[in-house]
Every structure is written in structure tokens, then in C-alpha cells.
Amino acid sequence: MSEPAIKLQNIHLSLGRGAARVHILKGVSLSIARGESVGLVGPSGSGKSTLLMALAGLERPDSGAITIAGESLDALGEDALARFRGAKIGIVFQSFHLIPTMTALENVAIPLELAGAPNAFARAADELLAVGLKDRVAHYPAQLSGGEQQRVALARALAPRPSILLADEPTGNLDAATGESIIDLIFALRRDRGATLVLVTHDLGLAARCDRTIAFESGRIVSGARGTEAAQAVS
Ligand code: ADP
Ligand code: MG
């Protein structure tokens, strides 16, 4: 079997300081194949967002090993980790995190340009076309609807052509119909580009659209840690 896109081995992760320190991830092991889509479900506060932060290298675990696209994150220093994240991982959040003083085009192009990509503005325009926002490139976030803002965020996340897309409740701030169209778009773009997807959602129906559902509770995986292929490989 080829190298998995994502491999976690016994990850423990705590956040906060002193008395406020909370042990959030309590021994998470997980393998996700390249190109697989995984829905991550679980109660609020169970640690889903923290797990995505760990996958993105935005939070470091206390112990355990994280390997993404064959690269061990533990071995990377902060600068190397930031470069790795920029190249390999796209993230979209429930709140869109757009920069309010930049147009849609600039929100997508400036990060590309900072990463040293050639033709950043032309590429950003292509990405905005791909998410259906050709006519909104010059708009500022405040001039866009929630669904349109999430499309910009999606274009920004996918512009560097990451092999992994992480989405943390991407429809949480949208009405049902708009959310549905964003999800359709995420699945369509993922399919076109062959990216691995980890989608955090409260919605079991949504998770069921993924190849596999992982259920999370109190910082632990309660089902779905291994895909059938991986389970067969170790048995
Ligand atoms: P979920 O995304 O499943 O709702 P989170 O990963 O956001 O869960 O949070 C898991 C737990 O960790 C919650 O109890 C939350 O209060 C706690 N937590 C999250 N971030 C921090 C932090 N920076 N410091 C301390 N506790 C935190
Ligand atoms: Mg969360």
C-alpha cells in the first residue's frame, strides 16, 4: 500500500497554561489514504478542531507522531513547518477569516504572492472562477454574502494546489441551501484535484457523503480510525 496522506500515532495534545491546561487529544491514532475523504463527527468540545490544528501543524502534540504526505511534522522547525503547510495543506473554517481590507482577488492572490508563486494574481483569478465568483473579484468581504465569502476562503485554501484539504464545519455559519452548495463545491473541487479531504461536521448526513466517517468523543476516536483497506493490510 502506498504511503498514507495522513498518519497519526498515539497523539496526545494539551492546550492552555497552568491550572487552565486541558488534556484534549488522548491517544489518537489514525491513517487516511491519499485521495480519501473522511468525515469527522463528534460532540462539541470533543476535540475535533484541535485535531485539525494538529494535522495542519498549527498546534504541536505533547507526544506521538504525525506524518503528512510522507513528512514527519515533529522533525520540522517553525519556518519549515509554515512552508510545508502553505504548500501541502489548505484549510477552511466556519468563520471565513478573510482580510476585510482586501478584495476577493487580493485575499486569494496575496498569500500566493507571499509564498513566492509566479503569476499570483492570474492564478487567483482562475481560482475565483472555479468557485463561481468571476463577477465578484473586486468586491470586499463586507460586500459579499456569507456563501460568497466562504467561496473566496475555499479559493484561497485551494490556490496553492494543496494535496490535503481540511474543513472545520465550513457550513456552520451558512443557511442550509447555501451550505449545501458549498459542500457540493468542496466535493467537486476535491474530486477534480484528487485531494485528500478531512471534513469536520455536526451533520451525519454530510459525513456520510465522505468515503469514511470517523467518530470522535472526549479526545478519542470511537469508530472509523482505520479504513477497510488499512484494516486488511494489518490483519
Ligand atoms: P470541538 O471542535 O470538537 O468542538 P475543540 O477542539 O474546539 O472541540 O475543543 C476541545 C476542548 O478543548 C474544549 O473543551 C475546549 O474548551 C478546549 N480548548 C480548546 N482550545 C483551548 C485552549 N487554547 N486552551 C484551553 N482549552 C482549550
Ligand atoms: Mg470545533
Side-chain angles (χ1 to χ4, degrees):
M1 204 178 76
S2 69
E3 180 81 42
I6 294 172
K7 191 170 168 65
L8 304 188
Q9 289 160 288
N10 200 22
I11 294 300
H12 286 264
L13 195 154
S14 309
L15 291 176
R17 285 177 188 281
R21 194 156 175 86
V22 184
H23 186 191
I24 302 171
L25 302 182
K26 299 169 184 164
V28 178
S29 297
L30 165 67
S31 178
I32 299 176
R34 291 187 187 214
E36 193 178 10
S37 60
V38 165
L40 180 62
V41 298
S44 181
S46 57
K48 305 180 299 296
S49 294
T50 305
L51 182 63
L52 280 205
M53 292 296 102
L55 290 181
L58 288 164
E59 297 287 357
R60 296 234 188 219
D62 310 336
S63 62
I66 303 182
T67 312
I68 306 282
E71 186 91 40
S72 166
L73 295 199
D74 334 308
L76 297 180
E78 291 307 317
D79 290 351
L81 189 58
R83 274 197 303 277
F84 177 79
R85 186 190 311 122
K88 300 279 187 194
I89 300 175
I91 317 180
V92 285
F93 301 95
Q94 177 172 345
S95 46
F96 321 117
H97 291 304
L98 299 177
I99 297 176
T101 54
M102 289 186 187
T103 64
L105 186 65
E106 288 164 346
N107 265 282
V108 180
I110 301 291
L112 271 182
E113 201 166 62
L114 291 175
N119 309 317
F121 278 79
R123 281 178 58 183
D126 287 345
E127 294 292 341
L128 287 166
L129 176 67
V131 299
L133 288 182
K134 184 163 70 79
D135 300 329
R136 295 289 185 277
V137 291
H139 286 57
Y140 288 89
Q143 300 170 321
L144 298 169
S145 70
E148 288 168 342
Q149 289 182 62
Q150 191 61 302
R151 283 170 193 265
V152 177
L154 190 56
R156 179 180 58 186
L158 291 171
R161 300 274 158 166
S163 58
I164 296 173
L165 179 63
L166 307 176
D168 194 350
E169 313 215 24
T171 64
N173 280 352
L174 304 173
D175 64 70
T178 306
E180 187 79 28
S181 72
I182 290 291
I183 290 296
D184 288 344
L185 185 61
I186 287 176
F187 276 97
L189 291 169
R190 183 197 93 76
R191 200 172 41 243
D192 289 350
R193 299 176 188 202
T196 307
L197 171 69
V198 182
L199 171 67
V200 170
T201 175
H202 275 114
D203 184 336
L204 291 174
L206 205 60
R209 290 180 59 176
C210 296
D211 298 326
R212 173 165 42 133
T213 299
I214 293 176
F216 210 68
E217 231 175 86
S218 304
R220 295 186 178 90
I221 292 176
V222 291
S223 71
R226 288 179 186 284
T228 17
E229 198 185 327
Q232 280 161 2
V234 295
S235 63

